[in-house]
Amino acid sequence: MAISASDVKRLREETDAPMMECKVALEEAGGDFEKAKAILREKGQSAAAKRSGRSTSEGVAKFVVSADGKTAVGVVLESETDFVSNNDGFRKLVDTLANGLLSAPADAVNGDVNSVSIDGKTVADLVTEGVALFRENIQLTQAVKLETNGAIGVYNHHTGKQAAVVMVSGDATNAGEVATKGAIQAVAMGATYLTKAEVPQDIIAQEMELETQRAINDGKPAEMAAKIAEGRVNKEFFKSQVLLEQPFLEDESKSTAQFLKEMAQGTAEVTGFKRLTVGG
């Protein structure tokens, strides 16, 4: 049967698939729209399987916050090229995933997120459709949902490559501003941990070993090298990797913890944070 241009246009609008593929799918389906959609889905799954091994070094990291300001969801959606990650359609998919996951259970988002349903489609289906649409391997590499009774602040870097969320408890009237300042700090200075207590002991031991060897290589005796290593881990490693220990971006004479405490109009305690990075 003859397939009209209006039918092809309608299928494209409903699926976002390329015009030629819509035409071919309609021809294979004998003009049946539902069958044509099924054909496009199957082809999309096939395309996703073929591209799944390709590396994804570009993408977008983003946090969104619920209307009541108590829940944040962050996602990292990666692509092969920045041409795709800068595409409006790709950014729209990021928003669809992040906002859709706001209503999903936290254990599902933080667990097998691919099986979570958003508007009748699983996360895996939405990503597969993205592969078919953008003709690149696309992977949802990170997804996290955080909830609090306090305030949440997020910062999404303008490049789209990094994003962070900080949670604050207490009675400060500007708690949201405090949290946002913390999130900006986390992205700008690349924090990995919130407090020193969160740093795994094996990571500390590894840093101690590296710094001890560094001191020995500089000609220091073993006993002195160990003390030098301890000082360097405290002054260099913790102050670079631990958010609350970092010199604050706007006033490096103060730690992030000290600065945020002083700016709070009331009591404010940073209770959690998460930073997301494309390729991280």
Side-chain angles (χ1 to χ4, degrees):
M1 64 175 293
I3 302 300
S4 69
S6 60
D7 286 341
V8 175
K9 181 182 178 182
R10 175 187 162 192
L11 184 60
R12 172 171 170 73
E13 290 174 347
E14 293 182 9
T15 65
D16 282 331
M19 294 287 283
M20 186 53 68
E21 291 191 14
C22 289
K23 183 175 184 295
V24 171
L26 281 167
E27 290 173 344
E28 290 182 18
D32 187 309
F33 272 81
E34 293 307 314
K35 287 183 179 179
K37 288 179 181 179
I39 290 170
L40 288 173
R41 282 196 299 270
E42 290 173 4
K43 289 183 176 180
Q45 291 168 355
S46 176
K50 290 178 181 178
R51 293 180 170 87
S52 62
R54 297 181 184 178
S55 64
T56 55
S57 57
E58 299 293 335
V60 173
K62 185 172 185 177
F63 273 101
V64 297
V65 181
S66 61
D68 65 2
K70 301 300 182 182
T71 303
V73 165
V75 299
V76 177
L77 187 66
E78 295 187 350
S79 61
E80 296 178 42
T81 67
D82 61 358
F83 177 80
V84 165
S85 64
N86 289 328
N87 182 282
D88 288 342
F90 186 88
R91 303 264 171 150
K92 181 179 178 181
L93 178 56
V94 171
D95 288 339
T96 296
L97 292 169
N99 287 299
L101 292 174
L102 278 172
S103 58
D107 58 351
V109 177
N110 299 327
D112 183 18
V113 68
N114 286 317
S115 63
V116 175
S117 179
I118 297 176
D119 294 332
K121 296 180 180 179
T122 66
V123 168
D125 288 339
L126 290 170
V127 173
T128 296
E129 288 178 2
V131 174
L133 178 61
F134 301 114
R135 297 299 190 269
E136 283 194 6
N137 184 23
I138 294 173
Q139 297 289 332
L140 181 64
T141 57
Q142 296 184 71
V144 60
K145 183 172 184 177
L146 302 168
E147 299 170 309
T148 181
N149 289 322
I152 287 179
V154 303
Y155 179 65
N156 296 309
H157 195 265
H158 66 87
T159 63
K161 304 300 183 186
Q162 292 188 72
V165 60
V166 165
M167 297 181 294
V168 171
S169 65
D171 61 8
T173 56
N174 62 338
E177 182 184 355
V178 171
T180 300
K181 285 283 189 181
I184 293 172
Q185 172 76 17
V187 168
M189 302 304 291
T192 304
Y193 309 98
L194 178 61
T195 66
K196 288 195 289 187
E198 289 184 3
V199 183
Q201 287 302 310
D202 60 330
I203 297 296
I204 296 175
Q206 178 180 311
E207 291 298 320
M208 283 290 295
E209 183 179 349
L210 290 172
E211 292 299 344
T212 299
Q213 189 58 53
R214 174 183 164 193
I216 290 173
N217 292 343
D218 289 340
K220 307 297 182 183
E223 183 176 335
M224 183 181 295
K227 292 181 180 179
I228 292 173
E230 184 176 356
R232 285 175 173 169
V233 168
N234 277 301
K235 291 181 180 179
E236 297 176 16
F237 177 76
F238 286 140
K239 287 189 176 182
S240 67
Q241 298 299 313
V242 177
L243 178 61
L244 296 182
E245 299 294 323
Q246 290 179 338
F248 194 72
L249 189 65
E250 297 180 18
D251 184 351
E252 295 187 355
S253 69
K254 300 174 181 178
S255 69
T256 298
Q258 182 182 1
F259 186 94
L260 296 181
K261 181 179 180 179
E262 291 178 2
M263 77 169 285
Q265 296 169 11
T267 61
E269 178 185 358
V270 179
T271 56
F273 106 101
K274 180 69 176 180
R275 181 172 65 93
L276 298 178
T277 305
V278 172

